[in-house]
């Protein structure tokens, strides 16, 4: 019995460590929960066949998962000590960070959008813009922290790499 309790504590510690390094923005969780509830209470179906929703949504979810995995792998690869997502020891400017300064936010938004699409719910489309506005505050706070941590390199990086995506080239 004592070994089982010890094993559970070890497992709980591992799960907590993974969760602490999992960049799941709270606004994404709230928006997905609200989407789920609204889809049940007041359905707002997407037009078109359900099979198309599932296929398109799965592709968008896969893109989001892939982007998050790539970003985490790049961050881990660039960490010299224990990996702590919220306390970077180096400014990562390679991999997905050379395309967007916030690949993990972008990845979660794709996952959220894809999950809503797979479910055939237009609520995901309705909820995403207000969620982006809420999360923008956190993005700006993260950027201010990075500018403090890396005063020599961050301004040039921010000038070169778009916050999210560069849709139009100057």
């Amino acid at each position: 019995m004592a070994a089982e309790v010890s094993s559970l504590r070890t497992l709980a510690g591992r799960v907590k460590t993974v969760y602490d390094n999992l960049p799941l923005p709270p606004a994404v969780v709230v928006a997905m929960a609200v989407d789920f509830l609204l889809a049940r209470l007041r359905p707002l179906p997407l037009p078109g066949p359900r099979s198309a929703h599932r296929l398109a949504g799965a592709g968008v979810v896969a893109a989001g998962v892939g982007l998050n995995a790539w970003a985490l792998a790049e961050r881990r690869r660039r960490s010299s000590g224990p990996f702590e997502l919220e306390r970077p020891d180096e400014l990562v400017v390679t991999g997905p960070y050379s395309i967007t300064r916030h690949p993990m936010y972008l990845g979660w938004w794709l996952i959220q959008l894809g999950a809503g699409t797979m479910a055939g719910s237009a609520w995901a489309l309705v909820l995403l813009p207000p969620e982006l506005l809420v999360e923008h505050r956190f993005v700006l706070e993260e950027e201010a922290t990075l500018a403090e941590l890396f005063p020599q390199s961050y301004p040039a990086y921010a000038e070169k790499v778009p916050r999210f995506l560069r849709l139009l080239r100057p």
Side-chain angles (χ1 to χ4, degrees), residues 21 79-85 87 89:
N21 277 315
S79 294
S80 57
F83 178 68
E84 293 185 59
L85 189 61
R87 292 182 204 96
D89 53 357

Side-chain angles (χ1 to χ4, degrees), residues 127-141:
L127 293 170
L128 194 59
E131 175 195 342
L132 297 178
L133 290 174
V134 168
E135 286 185 333
H136 188 68
R137 185 181 118 232
F138 299 108
V139 166
L140 294 177
E141 288 173 8

Side-chain angles (χ1 to χ4, degrees), residues 15-136:
V15 169
K16 183 178 179 342
T17 300
V18 168
Y19 179 77
D20 287 345
N21 277 315
L22 183 66
L24 180 55
V28 170
V29 175
V30 170
M32 287 181 86
V34 170
D35 178 18
F36 177 79
L37 288 173
L38 286 173
R40 299 296 179 266
L41 299 174
R42 188 96 115 168
L44 184 59
L46 289 169
R50 193 85 163 98
S51 59
H53 302 154
R54 288 187 179 123
L55 184 62
V60 174
V61 167
V65 168
L67 184 57
N68 276 347
W70 185 23
L72 282 170
E74 193 67 17
R75 285 287 304 274
R76 279 200 171 99
R77 192 170 73 81
R78 297 290 184 179
S79 294
S80 57
F83 178 68
E84 293 185 59
L85 189 61
E86 295 300 320
R87 292 182 204 96
D89 53 357
E90 179 182 329
L91 180 63
V92 179
V93 299
T94 56
Y97 294 93
S98 67
I99 301 166
T100 172
R101 295 194 311 258
H102 300 281
M104 287 187 249
Y105 276 107
L106 196 56
W108 281 113
W109 296 333
L110 288 171
I111 291 168
Q112 175 187 344
L113 185 60
T117 302
M118 282 174 56
S121 173
W123 284 115
L125 297 171
V126 172
L127 293 170
L128 194 59
E131 175 195 342
L132 297 178
L133 290 174
V134 168
E135 286 185 333
H136 188 68

Side-chain angles (χ1 to χ4, degrees), residues 1-10:
M1 182 68 159
E4 290 175 15
V5 170
S6 176
S7 175
L8 284 176
R9 283 188 190 140
T10 304

